Amino acid sequence: MTEPSPDWLDDLLERPRVIEDAGFTERVVTELPSPPNRLVRGGILALAAGLGTAATLVATGASPTEILVAWSQFDAWGQGLPLTSLAVLGTLAGLHFGLLAAQD
Amino acid sequence: MSISEADLIARVITRDDRHAFATLVRLHQSSVRAVLRKLTAGDAALADDLAQETFIRAHRNLRSFRADAKLSTWLYRIAYNCFVSHQRKRRESTGLDHHPEPSVSGATEASDLNRDVSAAMAGLRDEERAAIALTYAEDLTHPEAAAILNMPVGTLKTHVARGKEKLRRSLAAYAPR
């Protein structure tokens, strides 16, 4: 009896096996999570900013007017206004996290 | 003009371009599904479910793909992880090791040869089957296959050699006379 070629199994296992797509790609794309639309992103952003501002107002006791004053006196931050500066920074932090949430 | 794979990846990441991602899936679906069919010993339905999960995970994590790596290798790694997760869940739910059954009825496109190879693969130990599936995967080197399986190249070759000995016996009918 002749010894089988040592390569026959390699040939068999290496044989290219093309699998037809047959709708597979379409099924995958359909199952992809849909990206949040701009309205939802905007909503998340507004909500996060609002919550950040509200939380900061409660925590610092600063009024919305004080925050607006702090905004308008941006160049005076180095000379004082610790409470209102903190409020503004809190608002900015709220916006920052809101943007991050919107990106996700 | 054809668009390079890197361009397609960039489009998916920057614009969430679904058409670009679909092109990537079309390019790689055959090789990924073929490896998963070997890992599942010819269970085409399970292999396709795992392949679908593979591409969805790839889409979710595409930002973490390093541009200097091969996309095919990265996809094989995800596919193997999906397979291992599935095996683990199955083991936890049944409390038993799963030994795949060769697919007989669902493999409408499978030739006798494919069916016999699947049946022979089902008789291998998990690590032997995985080693053979990845070693013979399109476009994958031994070191890459070993890295995916998290084992040294020498161990991979041992599993391949043992698995092939078993396959040689099971598939003796296909040996040239």
Side-chain angles (χ1 to χ4, degrees):
Chain A
M1 190 177 130
T2 315
E3 277 294 306
S5 156
D7 295 323
W8 67 268
L9 186 60
D10 281 337
D11 290 344
L12 201 145
L13 291 170
E14 281 168 356
R15 190 169 298 186
R17 185 174 172 188
V18 178
I19 299 177
E20 293 300 322
D21 189 290
F24 175 81
T25 298
E26 202 181 323
R27 282 199 301 282
V28 169
V29 174
T30 308
E31 288 296 317
L32 291 178
S34 44
N37 65 33
R38 288 185 178 191
L39 204 63
V40 174
R41 281 174 185 238
I44 293 172
L45 180 63
L47 186 66
L51 285 173
T53 307
T56 308
L57 285 173
V58 170
T60 62
S63 69
T65 313
E66 282 177 304
I67 291 178
L68 286 172
V69 169
W71 272 115
S72 64
Q73 296 175 344
F74 185 81
D75 54 347
W77 283 16
Q79 298 158 23
L81 296 171
L83 197 67
T84 44
S85 297
L86 193 63
V88 172
L89 285 175
T91 309
L92 289 173
L95 279 166
H96 172 72
F97 287 114
L99 277 170
L100 286 181
Q103 277 180 347
D104 287 344
Chain B
M1 189 183 81
S2 66
I3 303 170
S4 75
E5 213 167 69
D7 286 338
L8 291 168
I9 292 168
R11 285 185 186 197
V12 177
I13 291 173
T14 56
R15 299 183 226 160
D16 193 26
D17 186 334
R18 303 287 165 116
H19 292 294
F21 188 71
T23 307
L24 289 171
V25 176
R26 261 182 225 107
L27 283 170
H28 293 280
Q29 61 85 21
S30 179
S31 51
V32 168
R33 288 163 80 194
V35 163
L36 283 165
R37 284 189 190 188
K38 278 185 179 149
L39 287 169
T40 58
D43 186 338
L46 173 60
D48 280 5
D49 284 349
L50 293 174
Q52 186 167 325
E53 194 183 331
T54 297
F55 284 108
I56 289 170
R57 277 194 203 182
H59 180 265
R60 195 188 307 139
N61 298 303
L62 203 55
R63 282 172 198 274
S64 68
F65 171 68
R66 292 193 342 265
D68 57 335
K70 278 193 298 184
L71 183 63
S72 57
T73 308
W74 189 66
L75 289 171
Y76 286 138
R77 184 187 294 276
I78 298 174
Y80 180 68
N81 289 340
C82 286
F83 171 72
V84 170
S85 299
H86 168 79
Q87 292 278 84
R88 195 181 299 127
K89 279 180 202 158
R90 187 171 242 177
R91 206 173 291 138
E92 282 168 3
S93 64
T94 61
L96 294 168
D97 279 351
H98 172 64
H99 295 285
E101 296 294 328
S103 173
V104 283
S105 57
T108 51
E109 86 285 4
S111 63
D112 287 347
L113 172 63
N114 285 340
R115 204 164 42 235
D116 289 345
V117 171
S118 295
M121 291 287 280
L124 302 181
R125 292 172 60 200
D126 285 350
E127 54 271 30
E128 293 165 350
R129 192 179 325 107
I132 286 177
L134 289 168
T135 297
Y136 288 93
E138 195 181 313
D139 202 25
L140 206 56
T141 63
H142 276 76
E144 286 168 343
I148 290 172
L149 295 172
N150 199 24
M151 61 175 64
V153 175
T155 309
L156 173 91
K157 287 183 176 175
T158 303
H159 288 315
V160 170
R162 286 181 185 155
K164 279 174 70 178
E165 268 315 300
K166 293 178 187 173
L167 292 179
R168 221 177 277 282
R169 287 195 292 272
S170 309
L171 299 167
Y174 291 97
R177 308 231 171 243

